[in-house]
Amino acid sequence: MRHLLVFAGREEAEEVAETLGEWLGEEPRVVRETLAGEDDAEDAQWVVVVEEADSALTGRIDALLEEYEGWRED
């Protein structure tokens, strides 16, 4: 199952991707997502795309989301 982990800042997204890379053996992609209708580039969100994560990893991902003030969109 693909998970999209959303963060307000690039730094947080990159730190989470690095941690997940250590857990998964391959670092997930980090992409910038501009909200529809937003003119200000500062309002863009940063998304970490996790292609495959088993249920055992989900709890650890949730802890990262809480620590870095992000959220998941499945």
Side-chain angles (χ1 to χ4, degrees), residues 3-5 7 12-30 48-53 57-58 60-62 64-65 68:
H3 299 284
L4 303 176
L5 312 179
F7 301 90
E12 292 87 351
E14 289 177 343
E15 288 180 22
V16 168
E18 184 177 323
T19 299
L20 289 171
E22 293 170 5
W23 296 349
L24 298 169
E26 181 179 333
E27 194 166 310
R29 288 185 299 139
V30 176
V48 177
V49 181
V50 180
E51 295 295 338
E52 296 292 325
L57 190 59
T58 302
R60 294 172 75 185
I61 290 173
D62 289 342
L64 278 176
L65 289 169
Y68 287 94

Side-chain angles (χ1 to χ4, degrees), residues 35-72:
L35 301 174
E38 293 294 332
D39 293 330
D40 191 330
E42 295 298 318
D43 290 334
Q45 297 173 328
W46 291 89
V47 179
V48 177
V49 181
V50 180
E51 295 295 338
E52 296 292 325
D54 60 26
S55 59
L57 190 59
T58 302
R60 294 172 75 185
I61 290 173
D62 289 342
L64 278 176
L65 289 169
E66 186 173 326
E67 179 180 345
Y68 287 94
E69 299 181 2
W71 64 93
R72 177 182 24 216

